[in-house]
Amino acid sequence: MSTAVRDNDQRSRFEAWVDGEFAGFADHVRTGDLVVYPHTEVRAEFEGRGVGGALARTALEDADRRGLRVLATCPFIIGWLERHPEYQHLTQSA
């Protein structure tokens, strides 16, 4: 299984593709020095296969590369951040 994640700036979201098939997305809103992640969704047939984690990791690495603070309001991204303390430096409390 090959998962590719790319930023679809026109739709303001990261999209995950598994073996060429659309698998899910993580919405983002960028404003100034902040990025908000309000919603992540993985298609049912791809759940439990690391797609959500790939979306979260790519989104947070993008924020880090851009020098943006992160406000995660999506329950999935919040939970992922709790399990990956190496990204805590990006977070901003609500």
Side-chain angles (χ1 to χ4, degrees):
M1 175 177 100
S2 172
T3 302
V5 177
R6 59 181 172 249
D7 187 2
N8 183 337
D9 236 1
Q10 292 176 333
R11 297 189 76 177
S12 297
R13 68 186 194 178
F14 288 93
E15 296 178 341
W17 298 79
V18 175
D19 296 330
E21 187 174 351
F22 180 74
F25 64 91
D27 289 328
H28 62 70
V29 178
R30 294 185 189 116
T31 58
D33 64 350
L34 178 71
V35 61
V36 180
Y37 297 115
H39 181 70
T40 302
E41 191 171 316
V42 174
R43 290 178 47 202
E45 59 268 35
F46 294 102
E47 289 180 359
R49 296 169 63 181
V51 173
L55 284 162
R57 182 176 310 280
T58 301
L60 292 166
E61 288 177 355
D62 179 77
D64 198 21
R65 195 170 34 258
R66 292 173 186 259
L68 301 174
R69 300 286 295 161
V70 170
L71 175 59
T73 58
C74 168
F76 179 82
I77 300 288
I78 292 169
W80 195 91
L81 275 164
E82 289 172 357
R83 293 185 305 279
H84 295 86
E86 64 271 26
Y87 293 96
Q88 289 299 317
H89 67 282
L90 298 171
T91 62
Q92 179 169 321
S93 58

